[in-house]
């Protein structure tokens, strides 16, 4: 379980993972040493496993993003995961319950590229069925 202080620190890091310890300390009302110690503890506990890049909204607006729902052959699920992992346009892969087994979030520079990517995913050994939806807008992204 995370303390309120750790949750507040994680919230600030989600907003800007490159914020300096001085800036984080100022916003949290604690010392830089305290912030650094909390970050190190969160990393050691495996709660923080890395830091990422947030792309500019102008750049992301130029991409075509989609959710791709997959039904896969159970014995070939690991092979499908490895195949998806090798595709650079795959951003996220979720294993889900329900009528589908996985949800893949992809982005492509154009509809044409997205179409080719969807064909490539659908042709993978182990993929039985796909259903895709283009993302029109993202209303909340935390």
């Amino acid at each position: 379980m995370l303390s309120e202080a750790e949750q507040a620190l994680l919230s600030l890091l989600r907003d800007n993972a490159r914020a300096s310890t001085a800036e984080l300390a100022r916003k949290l009302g604690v010392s830089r040493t305290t912030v650094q110690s909390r970050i190190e503890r969160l990393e050691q506990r495996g709660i923080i496993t890395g830091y990422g890049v947030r792309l500019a909204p102008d750049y992301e607006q130029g991409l075509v993003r989609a959710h791709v729902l997959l039904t896969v052959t159970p014995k070939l699920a690991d092979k499908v995961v490895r195949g998806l992992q090798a595709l650079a346009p795959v951003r996220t892969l979720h294993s889900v319950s329900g009528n589908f087994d996985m949800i893949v979030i992809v982005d492509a520079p154009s509809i044409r590229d997205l179409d080719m990517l969807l064909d490539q995913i659908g042709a993978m050994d182990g993929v039985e069925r796909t259903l895709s939806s283009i993302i029109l807008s993202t209303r909340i992204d935390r």
Side-chain angles (χ1 to χ4, degrees):
M1 195 76 174
L2 294 179
S3 69
E4 285 185 32
E6 290 169 328
Q7 289 175 12
L9 175 58
L10 286 177
S11 178
L12 290 173
L13 288 170
R14 278 190 197 107
D15 287 340
N16 181 7
R18 293 190 59 179
S20 69
T21 53
E23 180 183 345
L24 294 168
R26 189 172 47 256
K27 289 181 178 180
L28 294 169
V30 298
S31 72
R32 291 184 316 203
T33 306
T34 299
V35 168
Q36 190 58 46
S37 295
R38 285 182 184 154
I39 290 172
E40 288 173 7
R41 276 197 313 271
L42 291 167
E43 289 172 342
Q44 289 168 355
R45 290 170 53 197
I47 293 168
I48 295 176
T49 59
Y51 300 87
V53 173
R54 281 197 156 168
L55 301 174
D58 289 344
Y59 174 78
E60 283 197 324
Q61 285 177 351
L63 298 174
V64 181
R65 298 184 67 204
H67 290 179
V68 185
L69 287 74
L70 303 179
T71 301
V72 300
T73 305
K75 291 184 178 182
L76 296 175
D78 287 341
K79 185 175 183 178
V80 171
V81 170
R82 285 191 305 275
L84 292 168
Q85 214 166 18
L87 297 175
V90 172
R91 294 289 159 243
T92 310
L93 174 62
H94 302 279
S95 178
V96 297
S97 62
N99 294 332
F100 291 88
D101 302 307
M102 299 176 185
I103 298 175
V104 187
I105 304 192
V106 300
D107 60 31
S110 68
I111 294 290
R112 181 174 180 247
D113 291 319
L114 177 62
D115 187 39
M116 289 187 300
L117 175 63
L118 295 175
D119 288 345
Q120 190 176 6
I121 291 171
M124 285 182 174
D125 193 26
V127 173
E128 296 176 357
R129 182 171 65 128
T130 68
L131 176 67
S132 58
S133 297
I134 292 176
I135 299 170
L136 301 175
S137 68
T138 300
R139 306 215 176 187
I140 298 174
D141 185 16
R142 294 187 180 152

